[in-house]
């Protein structure tokens, strides 16, 4: 992790580099920002989430700020260009900081509206917009009431790191990767998984007390993908899990619950399989385990889709466009947008 002094020198030397305070939210996602021509200054207060290095190394352009109880403690000499919020729980603090600094707010949304919210809560949440908004799938954009002025930037993964193994057979197991799975049952489908995997060989990674542990590092995680024949996704209210894309890039045969935006990544019977119930997942997996060569063929098609749509180059280019638009857009942009 670079120190503040080196980043300050870089910011002064390269005056067109965008400087962005934001939060640690999703290490796997944020690690893909390493190629973006910007400095990401990470909030550090009593509510701040730490960067978990076993999930992903911190990119060189991410800088942990000195502690401050309320606002981002940006060093003197660095001009801030905009603020990014990843989640509704961060929105008010991010808006306060953007207002204080006199810069635009970019709202990045990873999640979907909570199914338990009342209509009034949904309206309230949808009103918390940014000067520029970024969603990770088309399905999610529609769910939040987004419009043509908003960005859809699909999650990206390192397709060199997450790749098939060089020769050798895969283990006939069904891998799943989820953190805090039991407590997040309503989003990640733990109950669904328990029913779906009856009498099946399973492998689970993720920090879930009483069930599983997270991979020690990203290399161990990548090896788990490339050594597993199948990957199961039972998410019920997640826009498009990054783990699905990592599994696809690694050549796993993915079997996923048909929910939310999963069909934007998986074409049933072509590069994966979609099911509508735990019983259907169980039956599908049993058929696939009996035909590993067919699984390998589907996994190869999944890899091709992941490399084509979810590669880092496309992700970096689109994020660079979104950041530049946010910096250049005047404050009255939203007033004239088709979303207003």
């Amino acid at each position: 992790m670079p120190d503040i002094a080196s980043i300050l020198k870089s910011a002064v030397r390269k005056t067109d580099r965008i400087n962005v305070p934001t939060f640690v939210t999703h290490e796997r996602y944020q690690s893909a920002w390493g190629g973006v021509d910007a400095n990401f200054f990470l909030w550090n207060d009593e509510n701040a989430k730490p960067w978990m290095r076993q999930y992903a190394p911190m990119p060189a352009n991410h800088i942990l700020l000195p502690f401050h109880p309320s606002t981002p403690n940006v060093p003197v000499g660095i001009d801030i260009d905009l603020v990014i919020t990843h989640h509704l729980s961060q929105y008010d603090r991010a808006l306060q900081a953007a207002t204080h600094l006199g810069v635009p707010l970019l709202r990045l949304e990873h999640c979907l509206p909570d199914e338990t919210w009342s209509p009034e809560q949904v309206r309230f949440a949808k009103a918390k917009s940014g000067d520029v908004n970024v969603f990770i799938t088309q399905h999610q954009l529609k769910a939040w009431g987004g419009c043509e002025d908003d960005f859809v930037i699909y999650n990206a993964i390192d397709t060199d790191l997450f790749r098939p193994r060089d020769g050798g057979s895969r283990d006939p197991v069904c891998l799943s990767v989820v953190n805090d799975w039991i407590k997040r049952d309503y989003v990640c489908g733990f109950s669904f998984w328990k029913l779906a995997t009856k009498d099946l060989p399973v492998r689970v990674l993720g920090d879930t007390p009483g069930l599983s542990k997270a991979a020690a590092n990203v290399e161990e995680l990548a090896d788990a993908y490339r050594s597993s024949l199948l990957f199961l996704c039972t998410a019920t209210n997640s826009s498009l899990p990054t783990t699905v894309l990592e599994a696809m890039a690694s050549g796993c045969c993915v079997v996923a619950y048909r929910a939310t935006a999963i069909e934007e990544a998986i074409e049933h019977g072509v590069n994966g399989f979609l099911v509508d119930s735990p019983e259907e997942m169980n039956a599908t997996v049993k058929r696939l385990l009996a035909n590993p060569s067919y699984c390998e063929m589907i996994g190869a098609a999944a890899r091709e889709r992941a490399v084509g749509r979810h590669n880092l180059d496309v992700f970096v280019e689109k994020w660079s466009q979104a950041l530049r638009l946010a910096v250049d857009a005047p404050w009255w942009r939203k007033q004239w947008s088709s979303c207003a």
Side-chain angles (χ1 to χ4, degrees):
M1 181 175 64
D3 58 39
I4 292 293
S6 66
I7 292 297
L8 179 57
K9 291 178 183 177
S10 174
V12 170
R13 182 176 63 252
K14 192 172 182 0
T15 56
D16 61 343
R17 194 173 178 90
I18 295 172
N19 294 314
V20 187
T22 189
F23 304 83
V24 177
T25 305
H26 190 332
E27 291 90 346
R28 301 290 319 122
Y29 184 94
Q30 289 173 256
S31 66
W33 277 346
V36 177
D37 192 18
N39 297 314
F40 296 93
F41 295 94
L42 303 177
W43 224 284
N44 187 13
D45 60 27
E46 61 268 17
N47 298 311
K49 177 186 181 298
W51 186 284
M52 305 297 288
R53 296 177 185 274
Q54 65 267 39
Y55 298 158
M58 184 182 289
N61 62 346
H62 284 52
I63 307 96
L64 183 64
L65 291 173
F67 178 86
H68 192 280
S70 57
T71 58
N73 194 8
V74 181
V76 174
I78 294 180
D79 292 328
I80 295 302
D81 297 294
L82 72 150
V83 175
I84 292 180
T85 174
H86 298 249
H87 192 271
L88 281 179
S89 63
Q90 305 164 353
Y91 181 88
D92 290 340
R93 283 190 295 162
L95 179 61
Q96 181 183 27
T99 302
H100 173 73
L101 294 167
V103 298
L105 175 66
L106 187 151
R107 178 192 174 192
L108 165 62
E109 186 55 62
H110 296 276
C111 302
L112 291 165
D114 194 314
E115 292 180 336
T116 65
W117 287 346
S118 67
E120 182 179 353
Q121 287 175 308
V122 171
R123 287 193 297 271
F124 179 76
K126 288 183 176 180
K128 293 194 170 187
S129 183
D131 296 285
V132 170
N133 299 291
V134 175
F135 300 97
I136 64 172
T137 64
Q138 293 288 345
H139 173 91
Q140 187 201 37
L141 180 148
K142 293 176 182 177
W144 283 104
C147 67
E148 62 184 22
D149 280 352
D150 295 325
F151 281 81
V152 171
I153 303 178
Y154 285 105
N155 289 0
I157 33 92
D158 184 341
T159 55
D160 291 328
L161 172 64
F162 295 102
R163 67 186 189 281
R165 60 168 44 174
D166 298 324
S169 61
R170 292 172 179 262
D171 300 333
V173 297
C174 308
L175 175 67
S176 294
V177 180
V178 188
N179 286 321
D180 207 12
W181 202 353
I182 297 172
K183 289 184 179 179
R184 298 168 66 215
D185 185 18
Y186 75 101
V187 170
C188 299
F190 178 68
S191 298
F192 187 109
W193 176 82
K194 286 196 299 181
L195 293 172
T197 55
K198 183 180 180 181
D199 301 323
L200 294 179
V202 297
R203 174 181 291 163
V204 180
L205 290 176
D207 185 9
T208 301
L211 176 68
S212 62
K213 294 183 179 180
N217 50 55
V218 69
E219 288 77 17
E220 182 178 301
L221 175 63
D223 187 64
Y225 285 121
R226 67 175 64 103
S227 65
S228 301
L229 185 64
L230 291 124
F231 182 85
L232 305 186
C233 174
T234 60
T236 56
N237 194 38
S238 176
S239 189
L240 183 56
T242 302
T243 54
V244 168
L245 305 179
E246 292 171 345
M248 291 174 69
S250 303
C252 289
C253 179
V254 177
V255 183
Y257 176 53
R258 191 193 306 269
T260 63
I262 197 72
E263 288 179 285
E264 293 182 41
I266 294 177
E267 184 178 353
H268 180 69
V270 176
N271 60 5
F273 296 90
L274 301 172
V275 300
D276 297 304
S277 68
E279 294 76 17
E280 187 181 358
M281 179 173 282
N282 185 275
T284 299
V285 168
K286 285 179 178 177
R287 289 195 299 271
L288 291 169
L289 285 171
N291 196 344
S293 61
Y294 180 55
C295 290
E296 294 274 4
M297 183 183 73
I298 296 295
R303 163 78 178 177
E304 184 177 351
R305 178 61 176 266
V307 170
R309 173 179 279 185
H310 301 283
N311 66 78
L312 288 171
D313 289 342
V314 172
F315 179 88
V316 167
E317 180 183 355
K318 291 193 173 182
W319 261 108
S320 297
Q321 293 172 0
L323 293 177
R324 181 52 59 190
L325 175 62
V327 170
D328 293 343
W331 283 102
W332 41 261
R333 175 179 179 273
K334 271 296 180 185
Q335 177 181 345
W336 300 104
S337 79
S338 57
C339 298

